[in-house]
Amino acid sequence: MIGGIYMRVRGLAPPLLVGRALAVLALTPLFLSAPARADSALAPSYSEQWIYYPDHGGATARGSLAETVLSAHNGERQRWRVPPLNWDDRLAADARAYARLLAQKGYLQHADMTGRAQPQGENLWMGTRDAFGYDQMMAGFLDERRNYVARAVPHISRTGNWQDTGHYSQIIWRTTTSVGCALASNRDFDFLVCRYSPAGNVWGMRADEGGAEVLADAARQGRAGEARRRGAQRRIALLPE
């Protein structure tokens, strides 16, 4: 994976409407090679008395969160012939803490990873409380497949906006090995946070290639020269105009 620092992206993707229920995805964060300005903290809009934290570690009315996440992620990763993800309890604990914070605030906002020795990738989802199953939450991310283009970040969307497919590219990012997710809710909304390690969406890299690991595989298969040429073409294409 190419190193970089994390940039928090403010804003919301277009809402997904299902009947009268509302679901929203947060714009996806991206790794860059320059520092990002940290935004000032925003005051919570929900009092702690309204926050509840469902126990989603085991079977619930929605089923197991871990099983649903791994099934959705690894099923999609298999389509791209990239290794499956493992569930990481540490990532899930980090996701749970941040989901609680989002439930208190009442809106989506990516975590500030600036200064972390090993930033985590992050996908966020928000929807009407108790209106969506875990499979529907995953479908919100996977639906971005229809606009995804297998090119280097940020040229990964048919819409011209990489953030329209950034959740999907993180899900299939080759060098990501672990995922952990958690849900917290306030009186109106459920907030799902998924954390990934190592983080994907690295500027100038392709999700299905992912860096040095793929070059090593290509070398073992006698295709190192072709891989180097692709990498050189990719770097040239991303030079500033």
Side-chain angles (χ1 to χ4, degrees), residues 28-29 122-123 144 148 156-157 161-171 201:
T28 310
E122 182 176 77
N123 280 345
E144 294 177 355
Y148 179 73
I156 60 173
S157 177
N161 183 355
W162 70 271
Q163 292 165 335
D164 292 338
T165 56
H167 303 91
Y168 183 77
S169 58
Q170 172 61 87
I171 287 173
N201 288 333

Side-chain angles (χ1 to χ4, degrees), residues 55-68:
D55 178 10
H56 295 297
T60 69
R62 287 168 165 154
S64 166
L65 175 59
E67 290 178 1
T68 303

Side-chain angles (χ1 to χ4, degrees), residues 124-135:
L124 304 179
W125 179 97
M126 168 184 172
T128 301
R129 177 173 163 175
D130 295 332
F132 299 90
Y134 293 141
D135 56 341

Side-chain angles (χ1 to χ4, degrees), residues 188-204:
D188 297 319
F189 297 105
D190 291 329
F191 293 84
L192 177 74
V193 176
C194 286
R195 292 285 180 86
Y196 302 84
S197 182
N201 288 333
V202 180
W203 187 281

Side-chain angles (χ1 to χ4, degrees), residues 140-154:
F141 297 144
L142 297 180
D143 185 59
E144 294 177 355
R145 181 199 308 128
R146 57 197 173 102
N147 287 320
Y148 179 73
V149 179
R151 296 177 183 167
V153 175

